Amino acid sequence: MFAYEFMHRAFWAGTFLGLSAPVLGVYLMLRRQVLMADTLSHVSLAGVALGTFMKWNPAMTGFAVAIAAGLLVEQLRRTYRTYSEVPVAIMMTSGLAFAVVLMSLGTNLSKSFSSYLFGSIVAVSDTQLRLIGGVALVGLLFFALLRRPLYNLTFDEETAAIGGVRVGPLSFAFSVLTGMTVAAAMPVVGVLLVSALMVLPAALALRIAGGFLSAILIAVAAGLTGIYGGLTASYYINTPPGGTIALILLVFLLTGIGCKRLTLIVRRGSRRHKKEKGSYK
Amino acid sequence: MILSSMQNVVFGYGSEPVVRGLSLDVYAGEFLGITGENGTAKTTVLKLLLGLLKPWSGTVSLNEEAMDGGRPVIGYVPQHVASFNSGFPSKVAELVRSGCYSRLGLLERFGLKQSAIVENSLKQVGMWELRNRRIGELSGGQKQRICIARALAQEPNVLILDEPTTGMDAASRIELYELMHHQVRRHGFTVIMVTHGVEEAGAYLDRVIALER
């Protein structure tokens, strides 16, 4: 498998995404912004279509539009605190609508619409790989250096603000990072699978982790294992890599939920058994 | 000495004001109770004092000289903070540790001094034994107590508590009033507490402000 150069690049791209996307996913889930990754990937697709239509660099327009959309989502979240999911849903629909219309108008589109929807991690170019690597590095530095203010911001924005966290700039920086990660990942894993890489490992981690750091580590471990497993499986059984990765992550999540439930049942059973034993004495 | 002063403050949500021409002085080193029926804008008044809300008119000022010339460090326990997402992946000690973060630099290590502060804060609210428990597994009253411990771990000189006894039993409520009274008398804290239980807390409070509609 590693005799092929494209598989090397795919594994590198997977490593970068597996390190950064699940961490972002944990924060997005805890901040109740799960839809944001999906929304930004749809809007980023509109950016790619716009770039193609205007004969600009589609990767750059996709990137710029995703960052701008991240900032807009954050602004709307502040304006419509009670109904923050409504503008997010509207943006997702609008992004997809723009993308479909612009792509149908652009005749010089280098990739098919479905390749943007599902991505092609085994066809990642050197430029894309460098971009993903750079974004992952920025993301990991962001999370490592700002882990303490981010923890406080994620737990409760009001007490974080009173405690000296600059809530506004930190939230906007987080949104920009989300936009950057989504835009870098979208051409590789596809619009529909960007959020799978973020949400599925995070959902598993939040289900089984005891502490915050362990949640982050479990999410990254699950993300990397899912990506490596998915790439290997797709190579040998000839299935689309993006979909295979998402399915493996889904299996991890369902297994995690099942194991957690089983542990709870066993614990409750042994507690009841002890209680009954005690009452007979 | 006056710590914070509100003068002729008007504030509202939408078009109707809920605070009309309120003037209020808070003195450094007092245990102040704020009470009133539901809808008398008690939480709004706290948020105006904290600067979380900007008044439509009037002024809210903070006298930094009242804190020995330094900036006041405010520990805040909001009304519904204990109703946090029960799936939040943290243990009790981990959450209380986060109270110390505001005093640490980005690259500064969390050292023995901070660990001692966390231990002391948890012991003060009687939650040290449960330090390794997941926060989602706690009862409402226990969650409230760890939120207070988190505020204490900030080493504040001003503590602002919005109905902190929600979900607590009578003995825990009295323990909390005694703890706050101790912090004011022994350590010179200023404590502002919104409460419906003035009859119960009255003996510990220096002053009570009753808000009316």
Side-chain angles (χ1 to χ4, degrees), chain A residues 17-280:
Chain A
L17 288 175
L19 286 172
S20 55
V23 184
L24 200 56
V26 169
Y27 285 100
L28 283 171
M29 279 195 75
L30 290 173
R31 300 187 77 201
R32 297 175 193 277
Q33 289 183 292
V34 168
L35 266 181
M36 189 156 159
D38 242 341
T39 302
L40 294 187
S41 61
H42 284 85
V43 176
S44 175
L45 182 64
V48 169
L50 179 72
T52 312
F53 183 69
M54 301 296 286
K55 295 188 173 59
W56 296 332
N57 182 342
M60 293 317 292
T61 48
F63 205 78
V65 167
I67 292 173
L71 291 170
L72 186 62
V73 168
E74 178 60 25
Q75 185 56 47
L76 290 170
R77 194 178 73 87
R78 291 171 173 277
T79 314
Y80 300 98
R81 279 192 184 274
T82 324
Y83 304 107
S84 57
E85 70 277 20
V86 174
V88 170
I90 292 170
M91 278 185 70
M92 182 152 65
T93 317
S94 317
L96 193 58
F98 268 113
V100 171
V101 171
L102 287 171
M103 280 184 160
S104 72
L105 292 174
T107 50
N108 54 344
L109 205 62
S110 58
K111 286 185 182 178
S112 69
F113 187 65
S114 69
S115 77
Y116 278 107
L117 284 183
F118 298 103
S120 181
I121 195 167
V122 289
V124 62
S125 68
D126 282 339
T127 315
Q128 283 173 331
L129 192 58
R130 274 195 286 272
L131 184 67
I132 297 169
V135 170
L137 183 68
V138 170
L140 292 176
L141 281 174
F142 178 84
F143 290 122
L145 290 174
L146 299 172
R147 64 190 185 284
R148 288 171 184 156
L150 272 171
Y151 178 97
N152 279 340
L153 177 83
T154 309
F155 180 71
D156 181 60
E157 284 196 15
E158 265 186 1
T159 49
I162 300 297
V165 175
R166 298 181 69 193
V167 167
L170 190 61
S171 273
F172 276 108
F174 179 79
S175 299
V176 168
L177 181 68
T178 310
M180 282 166 62
T181 308
V182 166
M186 195 271 281
V188 181
V189 290
V191 171
L192 300 177
L193 298 176
V194 164
S195 64
L197 266 188
M198 294 186 181
V199 174
L200 294 176
L204 170 69
L206 294 181
R207 193 77 192 169
I208 61 176
F212 200 83
L213 183 63
S214 60
I216 301 269
L217 294 177
I218 290 171
V220 170
L224 284 173
T225 315
I227 289 169
Y228 294 157
L231 280 174
T232 310
S234 72
Y235 177 82
Y236 286 108
I237 56 176
N238 200 21
T239 49
T244 314
I245 291 169
L247 280 178
I248 287 181
L249 290 173
L250 187 66
V251 169
F252 285 174
L253 175 63
L254 295 175
T255 311
I257 291 172
C259 288
K260 177 88 180 180
R261 191 158 287 180
L262 207 64
T263 317
L264 282 176
I265 291 169
V266 169
R267 265 194 211 158
R268 271 185 213 143
S270 67
R271 210 171 292 160
R272 200 176 304 143
H273 182 69
K274 269 184 198 168
K275 222 175 178 180
E276 282 168 5
K277 230 176 155 183
S279 66
Y280 285 127

Side-chain angles (χ1 to χ4, degrees), chain B:
Chain B
M1 187 180 277
I2 292 174
L3 171 73
S4 178
S5 183
M6 297 174 82
Q7 297 299 324
N8 295 315
V9 165
V10 178
F11 178 81
Y13 303 97
S15 56
E16 277 297 302
V18 292
V19 177
R20 295 180 187 85
L22 177 70
S23 294
L24 164 68
D25 289 330
V26 178
Y27 297 94
E30 72 169 338
F31 189 2
L32 173 68
I34 297 178
T35 190
E37 290 172 17
N38 290 334
T40 49
K42 299 183 292 294
T43 299
T44 304
V45 169
L46 283 192
K47 288 187 177 180
L48 285 163
L49 274 171
L50 285 162
L52 287 171
L53 298 173
K54 299 276 170 260
W56 289 357
S57 64
T59 57
V60 180
S61 59
L62 197 65
N63 178 12
E64 295 188 355
E65 281 177 20
M67 293 286 106
D68 299 327
R71 277 187 64 77
V73 177
I74 300 172
Y76 176 46
V77 182
Q79 193 175 5
H80 299 296
V81 75
S83 59
F84 49 70
N85 170 10
S86 60
F88 197 86
S90 275
K91 294 190 173 163
V92 168
E94 193 177 13
L95 181 71
V96 176
R97 276 165 69 99
S98 70
C100 300
Y101 290 168
S102 55
R103 285 185 183 265
L104 286 172
L106 285 183
L107 299 173
E108 201 174 334
R109 270 174 61 89
F110 194 96
L112 289 174
K113 185 188 166 203
Q114 286 76 28
S115 298
I117 293 168
V118 170
E119 182 178 340
N120 190 36
S121 305
L122 278 169
K123 282 180 175 167
Q124 282 183 309
V125 299
M127 291 292 288
W128 175 244
E129 303 302 320
L130 299 180
R131 63 190 177 281
N132 291 321
R133 189 74 74 81
R134 261 189 81 131
I135 57 173
E137 296 169 0
L138 302 176
S139 70
Q142 288 171 330
K143 283 179 181 170
Q144 198 72 35
R145 284 202 258 170
I146 59 163
C147 289
I148 293 163
R150 183 173 179 248
L152 288 172
Q154 280 180 261
E155 293 189 287
N157 36 36
V158 181
L159 253 178
I160 298 186
L161 312 168
D162 194 352
E163 297 190 28
T165 52
T166 308
M168 286 186 186
D169 56 37
S172 302
R173 290 198 299 269
I174 299 299
E175 274 176 27
L176 176 75
Y177 302 143
E178 282 174 351
L179 172 64
M180 291 303 134
H181 188 257
H182 172 81
Q183 301 287 8
V184 170
R185 292 290 174 269
R186 189 62 67 86
H187 303 293
F189 276 34
T190 306
V191 178
I192 305 169
M193 180 173 77
V194 165
T195 180
H196 283 292
V198 173
E199 296 81 12
E200 196 176 62
Y204 302 92
L205 296 169
D206 293 318
R207 199 157 58 103
V208 177
I209 291 169
L211 297 176
E212 290 172 3
R213 264 176 238 196

